[in-house]
Amino acid sequence: MIADIKKRALHRTRILEGQLRGLEKMIENEDYCIDILTQSLAIQKSLGSLNKLLVENHLRTHVSEMFEEGGSARDDAIAELLKVYELSNNRG
């Protein structure tokens, strides 16, 4: 991984860990539903930020190398990106 992206991704996971602990406490305490939903949506936004970092790293490293290699490696990179795109658009 690119050092800066790794540092930022780890920071994001620590934030997520705290957010999840907070969500768990809110559920245990039976906090107001909208407050719990607001926290859950904030976690989803944080996950989106983490995913963006991971995609950026993949594009700057593996995908770049696969495109330079060309041929089937290039086709594999395109297939991977399409799979990630499909997964991101099939959220329920």
Side-chain angles (χ1 to χ4, degrees):
M1 282 190 90
I2 297 170
D4 178 60
I5 293 175
K6 180 178 180 178
K7 179 182 174 184
R8 290 165 41 213
L10 287 170
H11 177 72
R12 176 61 49 202
T13 60
R14 291 179 189 111
I15 290 170
L16 278 159
E17 183 179 25
Q19 288 176 312
L20 283 169
R21 278 195 308 269
L23 180 64
E24 181 180 21
K25 287 179 184 177
M26 292 174 80
I27 293 168
E28 285 175 352
N29 295 336
E30 297 182 20
D31 286 4
Y32 187 59
C33 296
I34 296 301
D35 293 339
I36 295 171
L37 284 166
T38 299
Q39 179 69 3
S40 176
L41 291 168
I43 291 168
Q44 289 178 39
K45 188 167 178 76
S46 291
L47 279 170
S49 296
L50 175 61
N51 289 340
K52 184 178 175 184
L53 287 171
L54 297 173
V55 168
E56 178 184 357
N57 185 78
H58 190 61
L59 288 170
R60 293 184 184 277
T61 57
H62 301 101
V63 172
S64 295
E65 293 167 5
M66 293 167 87
F67 265 70
E68 286 177 12
E69 188 177 327
S72 65
R74 182 178 180 272
D75 293 340
D76 291 344
I78 292 169
E80 283 180 355
L81 293 174
L82 288 172
K83 182 177 180 180
V84 169
Y85 176 78
E86 288 173 2
L87 287 171
S88 70
N89 286 316
N90 287 328
R91 299 190 316 177

